[in-house]
Amino acid sequence: KAGVTQTPRYLIKTRGQQVTLSCSPISGHRSVSWYQQTPGQGLQFLFEYFSETQRNKGNFPGRFSGRQFSNSRSEMNVSTLELGDSALYLCASSPTQQGGGRDTQYFGPGTRLTVL
Amino acid sequence: ILNVEQSPQSLHVQEGDSTNFTCSFPSSNFYALHWYRWETAKSPEALFVMTLNGDEKKKGRISATLNTKEGYSYLYIKGSQPEDSATYLCAAPEGGGADGLTFGKGTHLIIQP
């Protein structure tokens, strides 16, 4: 099976712009989670989608949003970019067989966002 | 928001030595405890998902134990090799039946030849 794919891999934006990142999960996986990785904060949970519904959200401002399509592909959007949004954004998919956070998450390669 | 903590933050180990590090998590409303290995320039790779108190899991030279009553897990690496150099992350589900994980800040392991 193909792994989790993320596009684009690298992105440079300026403050105030908005950005959309895309994630295609492993075939058959219906849950997609998004994470932000920064050197100071480590890997932080943004949100999780299952069957086109956001099931959980981390402690991020409303500028961060996401959605999931019927084919389980997911996008996340960051509006009004700030310098502090520079980070590696990872998505992960899981098969949701056991539920309750007991399923392994499979990570994509990430999108490196730089905000100038 | 869960509080998942890992120690030590970094560790230098001689090749061939064994080592271990700790993950602590809230013992109430426990669902699962995940361990991941994250090598530079790669994606985090799942090592274990542990769900039962007293669980012990093994993958090659790496093993993990789980104590849900006191809220900690240990990861052990036996006979460290240079390819074991990575950041080891533990994580617990956010809860509510969803799959999103709260990660600790990781233990950065460097194996010195």
Side-chain angles (χ1 to χ4, degrees), chain B residues 71-83:
Chain B
Y72 65 84
S73 175
Y74 294 133
L75 190 81
Y76 300 89
I77 301 178
K78 187 177 176 182
S80 303
Q81 299 297 310
E83 59 265 29

Side-chain angles (χ1 to χ4, degrees), chain A residues 12-93:
Chain A
I12 299 175
K13 292 285 187 179
T14 56
R15 277 181 298 175
Q17 287 188 308
Q18 74 159 13
V19 67
T20 299
L21 311 181
S22 181
C23 172
S24 292
I26 291 171
S27 177
H29 287 192
R30 293 164 65 192
S31 168
V32 174
S33 298
W34 287 90
Y35 299 89
Q36 181 196 64
Q37 198 264 344
T38 56
Q41 296 299 319
L43 201 55
Q44 291 188 283
F45 170 69
L46 280 156
F47 26 66
E48 188 246 0
Y49 285 87
F50 177 81
S51 291
E52 302 178 66
T53 300
Q54 187 183 89
R55 290 200 294 191
N56 222 331
K57 190 179 189 322
N59 192 24
F60 279 81
R63 299 185 297 107
F64 291 82
S65 62
R67 59 178 176 168
Q68 187 180 35
F69 302 94
S70 58
N71 62 358
S72 295
R73 189 178 70 85
S74 178
E75 289 180 347
M76 69 161 278
N77 183 277
V78 188
S79 62
T80 319
L81 283 165
E82 300 177 0
L83 294 179
D85 297 333
S86 294
L88 178 68
Y89 290 88
L90 290 166
C91 81
S93 71

Side-chain angles (χ1 to χ4, degrees), chain B residues 13-64:
Chain B
V13 174
Q14 286 295 125
E15 182 177 352
D17 286 352
S18 296
T19 187
N20 66 84
F21 25 92
T22 308
C23 172
S24 62
F25 53 87
S27 55
S28 58
N29 296 319
F30 175 81
Y31 289 91
L33 193 283
H34 296 236
W35 281 101
Y36 288 83
R37 174 170 58 199
W38 196 355
E39 296 177 66
T40 303
K42 294 186 177 180
S43 306
E45 173 197 3
L47 289 172
F48 308 112
V49 180
M50 309 177 79
T51 57
L52 297 175
N53 185 45
D55 251 355
E56 289 190 33
K57 295 215 171 182
K58 189 175 179 182
K59 186 176 183 176
R61 294 178 291 98
I62 303 176
S63 60

Side-chain angles (χ1 to χ4, degrees), chain B residues 84-112:
Chain B
D84 296 328
S85 294
T87 296
Y88 291 82
L89 298 163
C90 69
E94 285 280 317
D99 285 349
L101 298 174
T102 294
F103 281 84
K105 296 211 168 142
T107 292
H108 184 51
L109 177 65
I110 298 168
I111 307 301
Q112 296 170 321

